[in-house]
Amino acid sequence: MAQVSLEGIRKVYPNGFQAVQTTSFTIQDGEFVVLVGPSGCGKSTLLRMIAGLEEITEGTLKIGDRVVNDVDPADRDIAMVFQNYALYPHMTVRKNIGYGLKNRGNPASEIAAKVEDAAKMLNLTEYLDRKPAQLSGGQRQRVAMGRAVVRDPALFLFDEPLSNLDAKLRNQMRIEIKALQRRLGTTAVYVTHDQVEAMTMADRIIVLNAGRIEQIGTPSEIYHNPASTFVASFMGAPPMNLIRAQVEQGEVRINGYDGLMPAPASQNGPVTLGIRPEDVVLDDHGNIPFRVDILEELGAHRLLHGVVGEQPFSVMIGKDDAASTGTATLNLKPEALRLFDPETGRKL
Amino acid sequence: MAETTLETPVETHRPRRIKWGAIGDHTVLILGALLMMIPPLLALTTASHDAVTIHREGLQLTLGDNLGKNFHAAMFEKGGFTQTVDGTLMLMNSFILGIGFAVGKIIISMMAAYAIVYFRLRFATLAFWVIFTTLLLPLEVRILPSYEAIQKLGLTNTYTGLIVPLIASATGTFFFRQFFMSVPEELAEAARIDGAGPWKFFVDILVPLSRTMIAAIFIIMFVFGWNQYLWPTLITTDESFFTLVRGIKQIVLSYTDSQIPEHGQALALAIVAMIPPVAIVVFFQNWFVKGLTESDK
């Protein structure tokens, strides 16, 4: 168990590419933190720096009370689960799980007992003598987990561990990993590009973009109060509607439409207006005209895609609500409106 | 559930069409096989006659009654100038050369490839290409300096002198490099986190993963080493270091005191010299194909 703190961590590759800009944050003991962002945003680099697989260009990394910048990965008391599992193909499941313990000189009887325990926890007992090639994707994933769990490390690192699984298995493993982490109480850092994974698993999410932290917060904070238009459009499916608007005398005016509504910000001038599709109400007496082009059936609800004042806009309605393509009018929930700076994309 | 009945397909007896293509293929293959088989067969049949017959009538197509005698003489009768060397000793020398050559090449080239692929050496790529260009310098090209060096080191007429100068292998390094580069990087990283140092990773992970490659390269190199002629001829003058491949000629020249060369025994020895490489290829061909075509990563 340990707290992990990054102080001014930065990564510049020898070719001059800055993969991670100066970042600082602290992960609390026992916390499940998800690093999320599009590919190339530096999330994996950040994780690999914590693992010790990538050198830290600048800054201080602490696991527990120890500065580990120059500590070998083997001595950082961490365990990592890789995207392609990285199981040793020629070893049985038993040996795969026990390899780390064996290298650390644990007595054979102790290794055997710990491997049995880990296998039991992950329902792998009957597969202990198989080789990875004889296992299904989900089972291999479990073996990779077992290899991490068996060492009882201070910190789990997950590098997109579920992206090689099919959707159904992914949902199941998501819950299993989360439950396991809860039970063991081990601090975990989890990297993914899948915002659903981030939302469902994290205690706290760190959203990264282009090597920079966009926002750190709980899933609910990130969802309801995105710090930037990037976070607003990246997190949540369907993404937040972002449309150009004007603030004049404390009221928001949507471009191309004259209907005014009260604005929570006092600033005048152009803004980007954000609102989640579920915070929009179709209303025959609404004051914003909405042209519905496409009706998307999602089962639990329906999604209407169309335009408001020549800007793309989507609205989520319940599965039983009537809807058709064509013109409609809608109302926005004023408390759900978010305003962003149109230049920087930051929250106002 | 809809009921489905499995109907046995009605067998239609059509007159079998003659597949001329297949017949053509097989003809070519059979002719090729025969062409390859005839010389060893001739050697076998001829080896079953006594020296006089062979000397008078040339190669024999029928089996004579001296087969056992010739083989026995070739293998166990002391011969040569010194009257100390027999077929079994030469067989052993050949095995020492073949196995030493193959094992040495595998060890050296695996370690070279390991260094090139897994360590951030400053000039790794350059080093690889330097090793690779030695393919342009086979032993025949550098035989004089090689001989000079071995002779100065006093390694003539030793197994060391016989094997070590041939051990550096660009081919092996190249094969292992390609293989190591195809091993997922995460495996090395996982091993690092699991506390395996460079040596442990090599021994515990890379070597077992490469076993089919090792087998394939062993076969190639064993046969190559077994068939070495020029280098052993140069480096060994002491008959007790003679290998089979070079010993055969020696028999014809000086194996016995009689005026008639013992062709029967020479051919018997030639057959003995052929067996181990063939046996290795036959027994290990599965590994060989696996090593060159697939890998269980």
Side-chain angles (χ1 to χ4, degrees):
Chain A
M1 314 306 112
Q3 169 181 309
V4 180
S5 67
L6 288 80
E7 292 157 21
I9 295 278
R10 188 165 162 254
K11 175 71 189 181
V12 182
Y13 281 105
N15 62 10
F17 174 69
Q18 178 166 299
V20 176
Q21 297 181 22
T22 311
T23 37
S24 303
F25 57 86
T26 302
I27 299 164
Q28 300 304 328
D29 186 11
E31 198 178 16
F32 197 112
V33 166
V34 174
L35 301 176
V36 67
S39 40
C41 71
K43 56 190 189 298
S44 283
T45 311
L46 207 50
L47 187 81
R48 291 167 57 83
M49 282 196 285
I50 298 174
L53 299 170
E54 206 79 66
E55 246 172 74
I56 297 169
T57 312
E58 213 178 279
T60 312
L61 171 68
K62 278 192 199 164
I63 299 178
D65 301 323
R66 192 163 60 126
V67 176
V68 291
N69 279 39
D70 299 316
V71 176
D72 197 74
D75 303 325
R76 291 190 180 194
D77 201 13
I78 53 162
M80 187 155 167
V81 178
F82 294 86
Q83 181 175 358
N84 63 4
Y85 322 135
L87 302 179
Y88 312 120
H90 59 289
M91 294 186 190
T92 59
V93 170
R94 191 187 302 277
K95 285 191 175 155
N96 259 292
I97 297 178
Y99 188 61
L101 294 174
K102 185 174 151 240
N103 284 335
R104 285 172 174 78
N106 296 37
S109 58
E110 192 188 320
I111 297 177
K114 282 189 175 176
V115 170
E116 291 285 349
D117 283 351
K120 214 173 182 182
M121 198 186 323
L122 293 156
N123 294 325
L124 283 170
T125 310
E126 54 188 306
Y127 305 110
L128 275 176
D129 293 311
R130 295 214 195 157
K131 299 240 172 107
Q134 297 162 296
L135 301 177
S136 70
Q139 290 163 344
R140 284 183 214 181
Q141 176 61 53
R142 280 212 191 86
V143 177
M145 289 288 300
R147 205 164 58 174
V149 168
V150 77
R151 294 214 338 257
D152 192 19
L155 176 63
F156 284 142
L157 302 174
F158 298 94
D159 191 2
E160 309 210 12
L162 303 183
S163 44
N164 282 359
L165 300 176
D166 60 61
K168 193 171 168 225
L169 207 51
R170 194 152 53 209
N171 287 347
Q172 185 193 332
M173 287 306 293
R174 209 161 67 195
I175 297 162
E176 279 185 33
I177 290 180
K178 177 77 182 166
L180 193 67
Q181 189 265 348
R182 266 289 110 80
R183 183 141 45 107
L184 299 170
T186 310
T187 317
V189 183
Y190 188 107
V191 159
T192 180
H193 61 262
D194 181 351
Q195 54 91 20
V196 179
E197 259 172 49
M199 293 294 289
T200 50
M201 297 177 85
D203 293 327
R204 267 199 308 161
I205 297 176
I206 299 178
V207 186
L208 289 150
N209 182 31
R212 211 161 42 84
I213 293 184
E214 289 276 341
Q215 188 174 5
I216 303 180
T218 64
S220 158
E221 278 165 22
I222 298 259
Y223 189 78
H224 293 111
N225 285 310
S228 66
T229 50
F230 174 81
V231 178
S233 57
F234 188 76
M235 301 299 291
M240 190 180 254
N241 290 304
L242 293 168
I243 53 179
R244 291 186 305 277
Q246 295 284 336
V247 174
E248 278 167 21
Q249 286 135 31
E251 295 202 304
V252 178
R253 182 199 293 268
I254 299 170
N255 286 7
Y257 171 65
D258 289 340
L260 290 169
M261 61 198 132
S266 55
Q267 183 188 353
N268 279 334
V271 289
T272 301
L273 178 74
I275 186 156
R276 293 272 171 205
E278 65 270 27
D279 292 327
V280 182
V281 194
L282 276 188
D283 183 347
D284 289 340
H285 308 294
N287 49 13
I288 301 172
F290 175 47
R291 197 183 81 222
V292 184
D293 293 334
I294 294 168
L295 216 157
E296 206 177 1
E297 198 70 56
L298 295 176
H301 40 246
R302 295 152 115 184
L303 207 51
L304 312 179
H305 298 281
V307 286
V308 164
E310 292 169 1
Q311 298 181 66
F313 199 86
S314 46
V315 176
M316 188 185 282
I317 57 172
K319 62 174 189 246
D320 300 325
D321 296 349
S324 60
T325 53
T327 47
T329 52
L330 42 83
N331 269 330
L332 311 178
K333 291 180 185 166
E335 72 277 8
L337 286 175
R338 303 285 175 265
L339 293 179
F340 301 96
D341 186 317
E343 303 283 319
T344 62
R346 305 302 298 178
K347 193 183 173 197
L348 288 173
Chain B
M1 222 171 86
E3 199 173 312
T4 50
T5 48
L6 284 176
E7 276 178 46
T8 41
V10 184
E11 290 209 17
T12 47
H13 276 287
R14 266 189 234 147
R16 273 207 174 188
R17 288 190 51 213
I18 301 168
K19 292 175 186 150
W20 288 107
I23 290 177
D25 292 348
H26 281 82
T27 314
V28 171
L29 288 173
I30 289 166
L31 283 179
L34 279 179
L35 199 68
M36 301 296 285
M37 286 297 293
I38 284 169
L41 276 179
L42 262 181
L44 187 71
T45 49
T46 309
S48 65
H49 291 270
D50 60 39
V52 183
T53 320
I54 301 168
H55 195 64
R56 214 167 40 209
E57 297 169 21
L59 293 172
Q60 301 292 311
L61 284 167
T62 54
L63 270 178
D65 45 12
N66 281 344
L67 189 65
K69 191 173 148 257
N70 274 341
F71 267 97
H72 188 270
M75 291 307 289
F76 302 112
E77 228 163 67
K78 306 280 184 202
F81 284 118
T82 50
Q83 295 294 318
T84 54
V85 54
D86 59 13
T88 37
L89 181 69
M90 291 197 284
L91 188 66
M92 196 188 75
N93 283 338
S94 279
F95 267 112
I96 291 173
L97 177 62
I99 292 172
F101 185 82
V103 170
K105 264 182 187 282
I106 286 169
I107 292 175
I108 294 276
S109 53
M110 265 190 106
M111 296 211 290
Y114 183 50
I116 289 170
V117 175
Y118 283 96
F119 293 85
R120 283 182 209 135
L121 303 176
R122 197 173 254 269
F123 300 112
T125 318
L126 180 74
F128 172 70
W129 286 109
V130 168
I131 293 173
F132 202 66
T133 45
T134 58
L135 274 182
L136 300 175
L137 295 171
L139 181 70
E140 287 75 10
V141 178
R142 55 187 164 88
I143 199 144
L144 286 178
S146 296
Y147 180 81
E148 181 88 1
I150 292 303
Q151 194 254 325
K152 287 247 167 77
L153 288 169
L155 291 174
T156 49
N157 287 321
T158 59
Y159 291 122
T160 319
L162 203 57
I163 294 169
V164 171
L166 303 177
I167 261 179
S169 166
T171 329
T173 311
F174 176 71
F175 274 124
F176 281 116
R177 172 183 178 263
Q178 297 309 100
F179 176 74
F180 289 167
M181 291 205 309
S182 73
V183 173
E185 219 173 296
E186 284 88 351
L187 225 49
E189 292 172 346
R192 254 184 100 185
I193 292 177
D194 266 343
W199 178 247
K200 264 198 177 147
F201 173 66
F202 186 63
V203 173
D204 285 354
I205 316 273
L206 268 191
V207 171
L209 277 185
S210 324
R211 56 188 195 279
T212 48
M213 276 295 288
I214 292 174
I217 291 179
F218 181 84
I219 293 166
I220 298 173
M221 295 306 176
F222 176 81
V223 174
F224 190 45
W226 182 274
N227 288 333
Q228 282 296 317
Y229 182 73
L230 182 60
W231 183 250
T233 310
L234 272 179
I235 219 71
T236 58
T237 46
D238 182 341
E239 284 183 334
S240 62
F241 286 99
F242 277 15
T243 60
L244 274 180
V245 177
R246 79 163 293 203
I248 295 166
K249 174 171 157 275
Q250 224 62 26
I251 287 185
V252 181
L253 291 182
S254 59
Y255 209 88
T256 58
D257 300 328
S258 66
Q259 296 298 312
I260 302 170
E262 282 289 356
H263 282 300
Q265 291 182 25
L267 287 169
L269 217 50
I271 287 167
V272 171
M274 248 182 277
I275 291 170
V278 171
I280 281 205
V281 172
V282 169
F283 285 126
F284 289 103
Q285 60 175 329
N286 271 341
W287 285 76
F288 182 72
V289 175
K290 259 192 205 162
L292 294 184
T293 54
E294 64 180 63
S295 52
D296 57 347
K297 284 182 292 287

